Amino acid sequence: MPAKLSIHLPGQAVAVRLLGEGRDLVLGREPGVDVCIEHDSVSRRHAILRGDDRGWRIADLGSKNGTRVDGARTAQADLPENAWFALGDVFCEFERIDAEGEARLAARAAERRTSSLAWAARLEQREKSTSRMIGDLLRGIVDIAECERGFLLAYDANRSLVLRACYAIRPEEIDGRTFSGSRSAVDRALLYRKPVFTSDPHVRAWLGGQPSVVAQGLRAIACLPMLYRGEVLGIAYADTSDEAKVFTGLDAELLGAYVDRAATALALARLDAALEGVSSLLAVDGKTVSEVGVAPRWHSATPKEARA
């Protein structure tokens, strides 16, 4: 039976690979291996997966940091239908699927691509006001990310980063202590000019329902810088309290393409000049865009704080 392998790299979207039976698959950091995992804790040739009519097995290839299955270090082990294993510090979710399950994954991916293209087309309707454009941009981010909340940061005419629009989140929540982890994601996206994705299913798998884990309110977070010709125009952010949500490579692809188009649309609309006269914070929901006060400034971390 074929299988799905989800590789959880810290701060990145989850890489999903469909695995066919009947061959050995080497996992490691070395370019050219069957499943390349670029992380310092993973050896160049770390482990091997074998699948046949008897099932799936994993064997360590003498790696430096070891292979763990369901938390226990092992030289080799049989994998049940659903299992977690770790190569060094990288957690992987293994799941056997049938042909029907594989077809559902393909259909769902096609559906999400179609929806993403529809949102991109809405951005290109140039007759819209700046407020409506920002509203559609944020709605698209939240919808494509399959999240519950979101906000948009943008630079004003003085190159100050301000909170420009919110979706299902109040400005005072963003300034609260419970938002510290999310602020760190924003600061990292600004510092490195790269998308930041966080989702923590591996933490739940290893620690289960421990109170300390539950109390953290683990969420999935997507934070993407909006770049146009090398200039950062702003930050698009979305999150969800749904602990089942995992950002995959498909999420990264769709969100990245949408944010690229959004940045271009904003630049072509001379957003900087337009925002100079739009000093308000916008509240966005499924149908309306309304002004809720003056756009507050975003207090960015220093490079040292962002790396912490």
Side-chain angles (χ1 to χ4, degrees), residues 110-122:
E111 178 184 340
R112 294 191 63 194
R113 290 182 193 279
T114 299
S115 176
S116 178
L117 289 173
W119 278 112
R122 292 182 67 169

Side-chain angles (χ1 to χ4, degrees), residues 1 11 53 63-65 75 88 95-96 127 152 158 167 195 207 246 299:
M1 181 180 293
D53 55 4
S63 67
K64 178 181 178 180
N65 294 312
E95 179 185 358
R96 296 189 196 182
E127 73 279 2
L152 178 69
N158 298 316
Y167 185 107
L207 301 180
V246 175
H299 301 289

Side-chain angles (χ1 to χ4, degrees), residues 170-183:
R170 299 187 305 275
E172 56 268 26
E173 290 183 70
I174 298 175
D175 286 330
R177 294 180 61 184
T178 57
F179 201 76
S180 59
S182 305
R183 293 185 71 91

